[in-house]
Amino acid sequence: MENLGHLDALAAEHADPVAWGRARAAELTEARRASEQSVPIEVHPAQRIDKRASNRKNLGCAIALSQYAALGVERPLRNRMRGRRVGYDLNAVLRLLVCERIVDPGSKRAAWLNRGRHFFRAEFTDDDAYRALDELAASRDAVVSAMNRSIAASGARDLSAVYYDVTNYYFEVDGEDGLRRKGAGKERRPNPIVQMGLLQDANGIPMAYRKFPGNTADCRTMIPVLSDMKRDCGVDRVVTVADKGLNCLENIAAAAASGDGFVLSQSVRGTRSDKELRAWVLSEEGYERGAGGDARFRSKSRQGFKTVHLRAADTASGRAQDVRIDVKYVAFWSERYARRARREREGVIERARGLVANPGAYTRATSHGAAQFVRNLHFDGKTGEVIETRRLELDEEAIAEAERYDGYYLIVTSETGWPDGKVIDTYRELWRIEESFRVTKSELRTRPVYVWTPRHIEAHLLVCYVALTILRLLQRATGLPCGRIREEIAAMSGTNVDANWWVFDHRTNESDLLVGAVGLEDLKLRVLTTGRATEILAKAAKGRIPQAK
């Protein structure tokens, strides 16, 4: 199908524009028929494989590139490089790195070495690829902003709540620097790490991210990322959902100062819950069973308040002051969560027994929570090794105290008018951002990180962020897990059987879902010419963000 233009414009060029249009249509029809005719291909049994040629190429990346184009990533990159004399195309570099991150994640050099397996051009050197990382890092804000505008314009953005969490990525090095610092790594490795805060909308689609030094406390990362998002999306008020690690008076004060809301989990046993609040959570009084009288779940709520300190810059009077914020506490108990807590604690107790029996085999870093169940335990402040001053014993009282809290959760929210069920359901959607971290680490292999300068680390995270957003948009359109989407895209490859002909051998119900979502039906064909493959990529370059399934 081809758009021939407006009739008025055609009349100025052709004596009979209608007749010309019919002739053009007949010409296109004939060309289409010719392209669908069977063609003889010569096979030479004695012909050897050309070691220099790319005998197999991937075309499934056209699905990813349709979303890359729809996100509007190219324009800010073109704008940044306009008028500058460089020997590479910045957009071509990011395009290759994102496709390779989805198809076969590895190092930047590995991505460059694999450039021949794609039908699109990647005409730059490996040195160019590394030089481009500095430019990509400098383009981060513009790229993320462009993506947010495109997602909002498509109707895919859901701001009924936003979800925030923090993870970290480790480096295979021993030394530290200003960014790569030793901290509380999620994987409990001794390596230096970099913290990354990620913000998603209620659809699980990323909105903003930011890196932080590895020794930055989780609770001190949320405000900058929220500020980035509100600037990009132009929203006045958001309700942020986060786990207990982000529940601190600083974040609550920032939300109060900006008029934002929050839904935060709160440790029942921790210092933020006083004795009276803990007793209320554990008391059976006031709990109501779940839907249909389900005894496996029960919940209750009450009104309360938190006192926060607002800075002078955040008050109308221009003076710092303490402000009382009305909040709602929602407590619930789940039999499923209780079983999970017992199962997890059994593993910790087993390590505690090992620690008591053989303290020399453990350090502060390797005890993994077992220390809380061991009496008379002390660690050396420098080495982290166990200091044996008194005989170690298993703390049965601490174990019994921990058992009391099995299955209980506490949520605190500024949305005092929300029903309990809405508060709980909103908080439960936090699993989506935890899943995003699993995708980045397991599917996109964001870590370990092998680049080391702050700008190159920034560029690496940007590549992974773009790839994650593409997978999330495709997941929303098809309902497929991100891992399966990656597998399908990677498998849609063709083998060269003649100079210009490629035979493709992968098609499944899942691949049909992906192809249908982005409108690239020719990806279902078994045999394609190089020219036809290029046409598919050209169509992908005009892609749109698909609707939800």
Side-chain angles (χ1 to χ4, degrees):
M1 184 174 291
E2 181 177 288
N3 185 350
L4 300 180
H6 293 286
L7 185 60
D8 293 344
L10 293 174
E13 300 177 16
H14 306 281
D16 188 345
V18 175
W20 175 85
R22 287 173 177 164
R24 178 59 179 159
E27 181 184 333
L28 292 171
T29 300
E30 184 60 31
R32 184 69 175 185
R33 285 174 180 167
S35 69
E36 294 173 351
Q37 295 296 316
S38 60
V39 178
I41 297 176
E42 292 185 358
V43 177
H44 302 281
Q47 185 178 14
R48 295 188 176 186
I49 299 171
D50 186 349
K51 293 186 292 185
R52 298 166 298 176
S54 297
N55 297 302
R56 191 163 176 82
K57 291 193 176 187
N58 177 272
L59 194 54
C61 62
I63 295 171
L65 288 177
S66 72
Q67 299 309 288
Y68 181 92
L71 287 169
V73 171
E74 182 173 355
R75 177 173 291 181
L77 299 180
R78 298 280 184 218
N79 289 341
R80 176 167 183 81
M81 305 306 286
R82 184 174 289 117
R84 298 173 60 182
R85 300 179 64 181
V86 294
Y88 59 87
D89 181 339
L90 185 60
N91 181 65
V93 175
L94 181 59
R95 179 178 61 188
L96 175 66
L97 294 180
V98 169
C99 282
E100 279 294 305
R101 185 58 51 180
I102 293 172
V103 172
D104 186 16
S107 69
K108 307 299 177 288
R109 177 165 172 77
W112 179 80
L113 290 173
N114 289 332
R115 67 196 184 284
R117 69 167 159 202
H118 298 285
F119 284 94
F120 58 79
R121 291 183 176 182
E123 297 175 342
F124 50 86
T125 67
D126 56 342
D127 287 338
D128 289 335
Y130 282 95
R131 292 188 191 99
L133 296 181
D134 290 326
E135 299 294 342
L136 290 176
S139 303
R140 185 199 79 106
D141 290 347
V143 169
V144 173
S145 296
M147 293 169 64
N148 282 331
R149 289 193 298 271
S150 299
I151 293 169
S154 74
R157 185 68 82 200
D158 183 352
L159 294 176
S160 58
V162 298
Y163 294 80
Y164 182 77
D165 205 353
V166 186
T167 193
N168 41 61
Y169 302 105
Y170 68 86
F171 295 74
E172 296 283 10
V173 295
D174 295 323
E176 299 179 85
D177 55 32
L179 181 63
R180 299 177 297 175
R181 304 293 299 274
K182 292 185 178 180
K186 306 294 182 183
E187 295 161 279
R188 303 182 185 277
R189 289 173 173 266
N191 311 73
I193 59 174
V194 165
Q195 294 272 69
M196 188 191 81
L198 178 66
L199 191 69
Q200 293 186 169
D201 69 5
N203 283 332
I205 300 173
M207 305 178 70
Y209 80 93
R210 185 178 280 204
K211 71 180 189 304
F212 299 90
N215 60 352
T216 305
D218 288 2
C219 64
R220 301 186 67 84
T221 65
M222 190 168 80
I223 297 173
V225 182
L226 275 174
S227 299
D228 290 348
M229 181 277 295
K230 293 183 72 175
R231 179 200 65 221
D232 279 354
C233 298
V235 293
D236 294 326
R237 185 178 192 271
V238 293
V239 177
T240 305
V241 186
D243 218 335
K244 57 188 176 185
L246 285 305
N247 182 346
C248 65
L249 291 180
E250 182 180 359
N251 287 338
I252 293 175
S258 58
D260 291 332
F262 54 85
V263 177
L264 305 171
S265 67
Q266 182 164 314
S267 173
V268 182
R269 296 177 61 193
T271 57
R272 292 189 178 91
S273 299
D274 59 26
K275 183 177 180 180
E276 188 275 331
L277 184 58
R278 287 195 293 270
W280 173 76
V281 172
L282 295 176
S283 171
E284 292 297 315
E285 184 179 353
Y287 275 105
E288 296 181 0
R289 292 186 176 186
D294 188 354
R296 294 172 299 177
F297 181 88
R298 55 183 184 266
S299 65
K300 65 179 178 179
S301 66
R302 75 178 194 183
Q303 301 294 322
F305 67 89
K306 282 183 174 287
T307 301
V308 298
H309 182 77
L310 296 186
R311 301 172 304 170
D314 295 327
T315 65
S317 64
R319 295 191 299 270
Q321 57 184 290
D322 290 336
V323 176
R324 192 170 110 162
I325 300 174
D326 292 330
V327 298
K328 180 179 184 177
Y329 290 102
V330 179
F332 68 90
W333 178 88
S334 165
E335 182 181 283
R336 180 165 62 90
Y337 290 167
R339 288 198 303 268
R340 185 175 69 184
R342 284 193 292 271
R343 186 168 59 250
E344 292 174 351
R345 188 174 54 254
E346 286 171 1
V348 177
I349 292 173
E350 190 61 33
R351 285 196 298 275
R353 289 195 176 99
L355 179 55
V356 170
N358 187 13
Y362 292 84
T363 65
R364 185 191 298 274
T366 61
S367 60
H368 299 339
Q372 63 182 310
F373 298 136
V374 178
R375 285 178 175 167
N376 306 321
L377 179 63
H378 301 281
F379 294 102
D380 185 283
K382 293 183 179 180
T383 66
E385 297 175 345
V386 175
I387 301 174
E388 296 186 59
T389 56
R390 298 171 60 186
R391 187 169 66 89
L392 303 183
E393 298 176 351
L394 198 65
D395 193 338
E396 299 290 352
E397 291 182 5
I399 294 173
E401 177 66 12
E403 288 176 351
R404 295 178 61 209
Y405 297 91
D406 285 351
Y408 286 99
Y409 273 74
L410 179 62
I411 304 171
V412 58
T413 177
S414 59
E415 309 308 288
T416 56
W418 282 12
D420 294 0
K422 182 176 180 179
V423 174
I424 294 171
D425 289 344
T426 299
Y427 174 74
R428 280 177 167 170
E429 288 299 304
L430 197 58
W431 69 270
R432 290 179 180 273
I433 199 163
E434 294 168 352
E435 182 191 50
S436 287
F437 288 146
R438 286 194 293 272
V439 169
T440 61
K441 293 183 177 183
S442 300
E443 299 294 339
L444 300 177
R445 298 184 208 166
T446 305
R447 88 292 186 249
V449 184
Y450 294 109
V451 292
W452 61 276
T453 68
R455 284 193 172 187
H456 287 191
I457 293 169
E458 185 74 81
H460 173 70
L461 294 178
L462 177 64
V463 169
C464 296
Y465 178 84
V466 176
L468 173 65
T469 304
I470 288 172
L471 291 178
R472 280 303 203 184
L473 290 173
L474 293 172
Q475 182 181 40
R476 175 176 175 269
T478 63
L480 297 173
C482 291
R484 189 56 187 270
I485 293 171
R486 271 197 62 249
E487 291 171 0
E488 293 295 327
I489 290 176
M492 296 171 71
S493 297
T495 301
N496 185 233
V497 293
D498 196 21
N500 197 40
W501 292 92
W502 300 80
V503 174
F504 292 81
D505 51 21
H506 180 83
R507 185 185 172 197
T508 63
N509 292 335
E510 289 78 9
S511 69
D512 280 358
L513 277 175
L514 290 164
V515 166
V518 298
L520 298 177
E521 293 296 324
D522 282 357
L523 287 175
K524 296 178 181 178
L525 297 177
R526 183 169 180 267
V527 180
L528 291 171
T529 64
T530 302
R532 193 77 171 271
T534 303
E535 289 174 4
I536 292 173
L537 290 174
K539 186 175 181 180
K542 301 176 182 178
R544 296 182 179 179
I545 294 173
Q547 297 300 309
K549 183 179 179 183

